[in-house]
Amino acid sequence: MKPSKRLIRAASLCLALALAGCGEPEREAAQPVSRPVKLFTLGETEAARTLRFPGSVSAVKQSDMAFEVSGRIIDIPVTEGQRVEAGTVLARLDPRDYEAERDRARAERNAAQVELKRYEAAFKARAVAAQELDRARRNLAVAEANLRQATKAIEDTVLRAPFVGRVARKLVEDFANVQAKQPVLILQSDDAMEMRVQVPEALWIRSQRVDSAADIEEINSQIRVVLSSLPDQPIAARITAFASMADPVTRTFRVTVGFEPPAGSSVSPGMTGHVAYDLPAGTASAGLHVPVDAVVAAPDNTPFVWLFDAQSSTVKQHPVTLGELSGDSVLVTSGLAVGDRIAVSGVHTLSDGFPVHALED
């Protein structure tokens, strides 16, 4: 009697299990292969990095030029971008109404002078009282004041540059009617520029104390302005003003730095850049700078880096606290120490305990 197909299959399964039991032991789970990564060592020099504070260029002197009186513009002899000397006529109003007012005030002044002379003669002849003479003198004083005011109004119909500068922008059209104090054009100095930056309080509290002019000079020797359009031409700069009270919203301190544009360059207000400040030797910064590429965001958006363990040649997730961003580096205010080594490549493919080794350049 032939065995059934079911019995044949069962026998085959038992044989296979027996052979498997007699074979080689089950291999252990494959271990990840050590991966080459770039490692960044936080050295002693990192504690004295150059701090960078972004900002934009503005003119040291800027004025929204406006007439002191109202009227219709009859001439704007300057153009945008034109450089003007102090006293140059920038715009003129129609002066006819003010000239008429001046002529009226002059006539009243002349009449008051004649009246005063008549009262003085009458007072000498004892024909009028002293009170009448005093009234004539007051009338003359009022008439002279009105004439001065009317004369000044005519002078105010001519708008002149108060300093050497450049016409940055015209704000009204030719022959427009303008009100007193209404800006007509913007005048900016072009021989000196400044940049205003915001210094975080964490860095401000560790900055040099300013107690004298010598302290300012020492700080000035350590700062410079770097324009985005001229990254390879740092410009010597100096602190011209700084706030001693933090902004209540941003908790930063405003610092104004003045500089003179390099010869042959066309530096204009509105250009962007940063102020670089070299911390003095031996001065501890508010933290350590690490490459931006080394920082990763956890699922809850908390920042961390992959800290390298030399003994096990593995990396582990290490939380950090971040400060200001400076170009391609970011300030780490806590979580790392000098001498730590962190991964700066392949950071999005690593995991806790992953074996790595230094990538040779």
Side-chain angles (χ1 to χ4, degrees):
M1 182 176 178
K2 295 182 179 179
S4 66
K5 293 182 178 181
R6 183 176 296 177
L7 292 176
I8 293 174
R9 289 174 183 163
S12 298
L13 178 61
C14 292
L15 179 61
L17 292 175
L19 292 175
C22 297
E24 295 180 358
E26 184 179 354
R27 294 183 179 179
E28 296 181 358
Q31 294 295 323
V33 179
S34 177
R35 178 179 300 170
V37 296
K38 277 189 177 182
L39 296 178
F40 179 80
T41 303
L42 283 76
E44 292 292 343
T45 56
E46 293 300 314
R49 286 290 301 270
T50 297
L51 304 182
R52 296 175 177 85
F53 307 99
S56 60
V57 177
S58 60
V60 172
K61 293 181 182 179
Q62 175 172 311
S63 178
D64 294 343
M65 303 300 299
F67 290 101
E68 295 291 327
V69 295
S70 303
R72 183 174 65 90
I73 296 177
I74 60 173
D75 186 25
I76 303 180
V78 295
T79 58
E80 290 183 345
Q82 179 178 338
R83 195 172 191 275
V84 296
E85 300 294 328
T88 300
V89 175
L90 303 176
R92 289 188 177 91
L93 294 178
D94 187 344
R96 289 177 293 180
D97 290 343
Y98 297 102
E99 289 173 346
E101 181 64 22
R102 179 201 58 190
D103 294 342
R104 184 192 64 79
R106 181 181 293 153
E108 291 181 352
R109 190 277 313 271
N110 293 341
Q113 287 177 336
V114 173
E115 184 182 46
L116 177 60
K117 289 180 180 180
R118 186 169 63 249
Y119 272 94
E120 286 176 342
F123 180 74
K124 289 181 180 179
R126 298 185 179 182
V128 297
Q131 292 84 347
E132 294 295 324
L133 178 61
D134 290 340
R135 182 183 61 80
R137 287 173 176 167
R138 287 196 301 271
N139 290 342
L140 177 58
V142 171
E144 288 177 339
N146 290 337
L147 178 58
R148 288 193 298 270
Q149 185 175 7
T151 302
K152 181 181 182 300
I154 295 177
E155 295 174 356
D156 289 340
T157 61
V158 179
L159 190 62
R160 299 180 182 274
F163 54 83
V164 177
R166 195 175 297 276
V167 178
R169 186 186 305 172
K170 290 172 57 177
L171 304 177
V172 297
E173 298 296 330
D174 294 345
F175 308 109
N177 287 297
V178 296
Q179 300 297 318
K181 308 296 185 181
Q182 177 184 343
V184 173
L185 52 82
I186 299 176
L187 183 67
Q188 296 175 333
S189 61
D190 61 351
D191 56 345
M193 299 291 176
E194 66 183 15
M195 184 177 288
R196 295 178 181 177
V197 298
Q198 303 295 329
V199 180
E201 59 182 5
L203 298 179
W204 180 270
I205 198 170
R206 291 171 171 81
S207 61
Q208 281 183 262
R209 185 176 179 85
V210 179
D211 291 325
S212 64
D215 294 334
I216 287 287
E217 288 301 319
E218 183 176 356
I219 294 176
N220 287 341
S221 66
Q222 298 158 356
I223 63 176
R224 58 196 180 277
V225 167
V226 180
L227 301 177
S228 300
S229 55
L230 297 172
D232 299 326
Q233 298 184 34
I235 306 169
R238 61 193 180 281
I239 293 177
T240 57
F242 61 89
S244 58
M245 179 181 297
D247 184 282
V249 177
T250 62
R251 310 309 306 170
T252 58
F253 293 82
R254 186 177 66 186
V255 177
T256 303
V257 172
F259 66 96
E260 295 181 0
S265 63
S266 181
V267 178
S268 301
M271 289 184 172
T272 59
H274 66 266
V275 173
Y277 172 57
D278 296 327
L279 288 173
T283 302
S285 75
L288 302 173
H289 283 82
V290 301
V292 173
D293 295 339
V295 182
V296 188
D300 59 354
N301 288 327
T302 57
F304 70 89
V305 297
W306 291 111
L307 187 64
F308 178 70
D309 183 356
Q311 291 185 349
S312 61
S313 294
T314 59
V315 292
K316 64 178 179 178
Q317 184 174 318
H318 191 75
V320 292
T321 303
L322 301 182
E324 291 296 307
L325 182 67
S326 298
D328 58 355
S329 64
V330 64
L331 184 69
V332 175
T333 57
S334 65
L336 293 175
V338 173
D340 286 343
R341 302 181 75 189
I342 60 175
V344 295
S345 67
V347 294
H348 297 288
T349 60
L350 300 177
S351 59
D352 271 327
F354 200 97
V356 299
H357 60 273
L359 176 65
E360 299 296 337
D361 295 333

